[in-house]
Amino acid sequence: MNELILHHYPTSPFSEKIRLILGYKQLACKSVIIPSIMPKPDVLALTGGYRKTPVLQIGADIYCDSALICDVLEHLQPTPALYPEPGKGLARILAQWADSTLFWAAMAHNLGPKGAAHMFGNASPDTARAFGEDRKAMSGNMTRLRPADAAAAYKSYLRRLSDMLDEQPYLLGQAPCIADFAAYHPLWFTRVCTPVVADILDHTPAVLDWMDRMHAIGSGRMEKFDATQAIATAAAAEPLPVGHGLLRDSTFQDEHGIPLGSRASITAESFGPEPTEGELIAATRTHYSLRRLDERAGTVHVHFPRIAYVLKKVDV
């Protein structure tokens, strides 16, 4: 099995989710620090268009979106489980809510005027402006909460999380599951990256105690690696055959009338509208895969979760 290569940056919330899961599963990886905003030429050499963070690389297989990365890590190292029985369906649904509804409420609160001033206090006005323009371009037609509305929603969500911790140390039981890791990372950003607005957490001490337990898990063992090495690794490797890698579900499931072998694009439903194009080689119950050729990375397979992504045929 080729080594794990995580493309991420320190203040990325979804990267913190994956870093913590790597720690939970005691997995080692190569660490490639990437820019937080465009341009990202080295990332795009691997993904073909997808520019969100993090990205997991294993040889010439590129896994996009933290939800899919979690599935890959679970297949690679099944214990301790992210999706324990019984209740794995509930855990997945709660994680999806946390990665979307909770995340956007938290981030709208975190990056309100006070939080943004703290985060960019030592940066030049051009840096802050560039970050704002980058995230605006990624947001497209998304409806964003205003900071005051976000704070009200965030407080309610924190109370609900606190209620789940009344009689157990983690959200769904005695051990952390995918729901805990998904709920933790936006709160981590509040506490670590925008501490000037972290007093919102003080009203739910049970949540703070849970955050301390999650933090204590620690990150995986990471070895510094650079983007040039990562791209060379992809170029020297062969992608795993469909159905024989870490995404073992290979049964074709067609809702689009797009046969395998077609030229297709995959795009996030909302945040991050940049498409990736390639040859459709898998469309299963859980994921899509494209084969693409890059002059630097060679032939790569780029994988996306099916939920929250849009598949379209590309006219050649």
Side-chain angles (χ1 to χ4, degrees), residues 36-38 51 111 116-117 119-138:
S36 61
I37 64 173
M38 292 291 268
R51 47 77 50 102
L111 294 178
M119 191 167 178
F120 296 103
N122 295 322
S124 69
D126 288 344
T127 298
R129 189 178 306 110
F131 182 87
E133 289 299 317
D134 182 83
R135 293 306 187 263
K136 182 179 179 182
M138 292 183 76

Short mmCIF file of all heavy atoms in Angstrom, two decimals, residues 36-38 51 111 116-117 119-138:
data_model
loop_
_atom_site.label_atom_id
_atom_site.label_comp_id
_atom_site.label_asym_id
_atom_site.label_seq_id
_atom_site.Cartn_x
_atom_site.Cartn_y
_atom_site.Cartn_z
N SER A 36 -3.95 28.56 1.15
CA SER A 36 -5.34 28.60 1.60
C SER A 36 -6.26 29.21 0.56
O SER A 36 -7.48 29.06 0.64
CB SER A 36 -5.44 29.40 2.91
OG SER A 36 -5.01 30.74 2.72
N ILE A 37 -5.69 29.93 -0.40
CA ILE A 37 -6.48 30.53 -1.48
C ILE A 37 -5.81 30.25 -2.81
O ILE A 37 -4.66 29.81 -2.87
CB ILE A 37 -6.66 32.06 -1.28
CG1 ILE A 37 -5.30 32.79 -1.36
CG2 ILE A 37 -7.34 32.36 0.06
CD1 ILE A 37 -5.43 34.31 -1.35
N MET A 38 -6.57 30.49 -3.88
CA MET A 38 -6.02 30.33 -5.22
C MET A 38 -4.96 31.40 -5.49
O MET A 38 -5.01 32.48 -4.91
CB MET A 38 -7.14 30.42 -6.25
CG MET A 38 -8.10 29.26 -6.18
SD MET A 38 -7.37 27.69 -6.71
CE MET A 38 -7.81 27.74 -8.46
N ARG A 51 -10.56 22.44 -5.78
CA ARG A 51 -9.56 23.21 -5.04
C ARG A 51 -9.86 23.33 -3.56
O ARG A 51 -9.20 24.08 -2.84
CB ARG A 51 -9.44 24.60 -5.66
CG ARG A 51 -10.72 25.39 -5.97
CD ARG A 51 -11.42 26.04 -4.79
NE ARG A 51 -10.56 26.81 -3.96
CZ ARG A 51 -10.47 28.14 -3.99
NH1 ARG A 51 -11.24 28.83 -4.79
NH2 ARG A 51 -9.65 28.76 -3.18
N LEU A 111 -16.14 34.35 11.48
CA LEU A 111 -15.54 35.31 10.56
C LEU A 111 -16.40 36.56 10.38
O LEU A 111 -16.35 37.24 9.35
CB LEU A 111 -15.26 34.64 9.21
CG LEU A 111 -14.19 33.53 9.28
CD1 LEU A 111 -14.01 32.88 7.92
CD2 LEU A 111 -12.86 34.07 9.81
N ALA A 116 -12.84 38.20 12.10
CA ALA A 116 -12.00 38.45 10.93
C ALA A 116 -10.88 39.45 11.26
O ALA A 116 -9.74 39.29 10.80
CB ALA A 116 -12.86 38.97 9.78
N ALA A 117 -11.20 40.47 12.07
CA ALA A 117 -10.19 41.44 12.46
C ALA A 117 -9.06 40.77 13.23
O ALA A 117 -7.88 41.10 13.06
CB ALA A 117 -10.81 42.55 13.29
N MET A 119 -8.25 37.47 13.02
CA MET A 119 -7.56 36.51 12.17
C MET A 119 -6.59 37.19 11.22
O MET A 119 -5.52 36.66 10.92
CB MET A 119 -8.59 35.68 11.39
CG MET A 119 -8.00 34.49 10.68
SD MET A 119 -9.27 33.36 10.10
CE MET A 119 -8.24 32.14 9.28
N PHE A 120 -6.96 38.38 10.75
CA PHE A 120 -6.11 39.08 9.77
C PHE A 120 -5.44 40.30 10.37
O PHE A 120 -4.95 41.17 9.64
CB PHE A 120 -6.95 39.48 8.55
CG PHE A 120 -7.50 38.31 7.79
CD1 PHE A 120 -8.84 37.93 7.92
CD2 PHE A 120 -6.68 37.55 6.98
CE1 PHE A 120 -9.35 36.84 7.24
CE2 PHE A 120 -7.18 36.45 6.29
CZ PHE A 120 -8.51 36.09 6.43
N GLY A 121 -5.39 40.35 11.71
CA GLY A 121 -4.84 41.53 12.38
C GLY A 121 -3.40 41.82 12.04
O GLY A 121 -2.98 42.98 11.98
N ASN A 122 -2.61 40.77 11.80
CA ASN A 122 -1.20 40.96 11.48
C ASN A 122 -0.91 40.84 9.99
O ASN A 122 0.26 40.82 9.58
CB ASN A 122 -0.36 39.93 12.24
CG ASN A 122 -0.44 40.14 13.74
OD1 ASN A 122 -0.47 41.28 14.21
ND2 ASN A 122 -0.50 39.05 14.49
N ALA A 123 -1.97 40.74 9.21
CA ALA A 123 -1.80 40.60 7.75
C ALA A 123 -2.03 41.95 7.08
O ALA A 123 -2.64 42.86 7.64
CB ALA A 123 -2.78 39.57 7.21
N SER A 124 -1.55 42.04 5.86
CA SER A 124 -1.77 43.27 5.10
C SER A 124 -3.22 43.35 4.63
O SER A 124 -3.90 42.32 4.52
CB SER A 124 -0.85 43.28 3.88
OG SER A 124 -1.27 42.30 2.93
N PRO A 125 -3.71 44.56 4.37
CA PRO A 125 -5.07 44.68 3.82
C PRO A 125 -5.26 43.88 2.55
O PRO A 125 -6.34 43.34 2.31
CB PRO A 125 -5.21 46.19 3.57
CG PRO A 125 -4.25 46.83 4.53
CD PRO A 125 -3.09 45.87 4.62
N ASP A 126 -4.22 43.78 1.73
CA ASP A 126 -4.33 43.01 0.49
C ASP A 126 -4.55 41.53 0.78
O ASP A 126 -5.29 40.86 0.06
CB ASP A 126 -3.06 43.18 -0.35
CG ASP A 126 -2.96 44.56 -0.97
OD1 ASP A 126 -3.99 45.26 -1.02
OD2 ASP A 126 -1.85 44.94 -1.40
N THR A 127 -3.91 41.01 1.83
CA THR A 127 -4.08 39.60 2.18
C THR A 127 -5.51 39.33 2.61
O THR A 127 -6.13 38.34 2.18
CB THR A 127 -3.11 39.22 3.31
OG1 THR A 127 -1.77 39.40 2.85
CG2 THR A 127 -3.32 37.78 3.74
N ALA A 128 -6.04 40.18 3.47
CA ALA A 128 -7.42 40.01 3.93
C ALA A 128 -8.40 40.13 2.77
O ALA A 128 -9.37 39.37 2.66
CB ALA A 128 -7.74 41.04 5.01
N ARG A 129 -8.13 41.08 1.89
CA ARG A 129 -9.01 41.29 0.73
C ARG A 129 -8.96 40.08 -0.20
O ARG A 129 -10.00 39.62 -0.70
CB ARG A 129 -8.60 42.55 -0.01
CG ARG A 129 -9.57 42.98 -1.11
CD ARG A 129 -9.12 44.27 -1.79
NE ARG A 129 -8.90 45.34 -0.83
CZ ARG A 129 -7.70 45.84 -0.52
NH1 ARG A 129 -6.61 45.37 -1.10
NH2 ARG A 129 -7.59 46.81 0.36
N ALA A 130 -7.78 39.55 -0.41
CA ALA A 130 -7.63 38.39 -1.30
C ALA A 130 -8.37 37.17 -0.73
O ALA A 130 -9.01 36.43 -1.48
CB ALA A 130 -6.15 38.07 -1.50
N PHE A 131 -8.29 36.98 0.58
CA PHE A 131 -9.00 35.86 1.20
C PHE A 131 -10.51 36.03 1.02
O PHE A 131 -11.22 35.08 0.67
CB PHE A 131 -8.65 35.78 2.69
CG PHE A 131 -9.30 34.62 3.40
CD1 PHE A 131 -8.69 33.37 3.42
CD2 PHE A 131 -10.52 34.77 4.04
CE1 PHE A 131 -9.28 32.29 4.08
CE2 PHE A 131 -11.13 33.70 4.70
CZ PHE A 131 -10.51 32.47 4.70
N GLY A 132 -11.01 37.24 1.27
CA GLY A 132 -12.44 37.49 1.12
C GLY A 132 -12.91 37.27 -0.31
O GLY A 132 -13.97 36.67 -0.53
N GLU A 133 -12.14 37.73 -1.29
CA GLU A 133 -12.52 37.54 -2.68
C GLU A 133 -12.48 36.07 -3.07
O GLU A 133 -13.32 35.59 -3.84
CB GLU A 133 -11.60 38.36 -3.58
CG GLU A 133 -11.81 39.86 -3.50
CD GLU A 133 -13.22 40.27 -3.90
OE1 GLU A 133 -13.74 39.73 -4.90
OE2 GLU A 133 -13.82 41.12 -3.21
N ASP A 134 -11.50 35.35 -2.55
CA ASP A 134 -11.39 33.92 -2.85
C ASP A 134 -12.61 33.17 -2.34
O ASP A 134 -13.20 32.35 -3.05
CB ASP A 134 -10.11 33.37 -2.21
CG ASP A 134 -9.89 31.90 -2.51
OD1 ASP A 134 -9.36 31.61 -3.58
OD2 ASP A 134 -10.27 31.05 -1.68
N ARG A 135 -12.99 33.42 -1.09
CA ARG A 135 -14.12 32.71 -0.52
C ARG A 135 -15.44 33.15 -1.16
O ARG A 135 -16.38 32.36 -1.29
CB ARG A 135 -14.18 32.91 0.99
CG ARG A 135 -13.02 32.24 1.73
CD ARG A 135 -12.92 30.76 1.36
NE ARG A 135 -11.94 30.04 2.17
CZ ARG A 135 -10.70 29.78 1.80
NH1 ARG A 135 -10.26 30.22 0.62
NH2 ARG A 135 -9.88 29.11 2.58
N LYS A 136 -15.52 34.40 -1.59
CA LYS A 136 -16.71 34.86 -2.32
C LYS A 136 -16.86 34.11 -3.63
O LYS A 136 -17.97 33.68 -4.00
CB LYS A 136 -16.61 36.37 -2.58
CG LYS A 136 -17.82 36.96 -3.30
CD LYS A 136 -17.65 38.46 -3.50
CE LYS A 136 -18.83 39.05 -4.24
NZ LYS A 136 -18.65 40.52 -4.48
N ALA A 137 -15.75 33.90 -4.32
CA ALA A 137 -15.79 33.15 -5.59
C ALA A 137 -16.21 31.71 -5.35
O ALA A 137 -16.89 31.10 -6.19
CB ALA A 137 -14.43 33.21 -6.27
N MET A 138 -15.80 31.14 -4.23
CA MET A 138 -16.17 29.75 -3.92
C MET A 138 -17.63 29.62 -3.53
O MET A 138 -18.23 28.55 -3.67
CB MET A 138 -15.30 29.22 -2.79
CG MET A 138 -13.83 29.03 -3.14
SD MET A 138 -12.89 28.32 -1.78
CE MET A 138 -13.41 26.60 -1.87
#
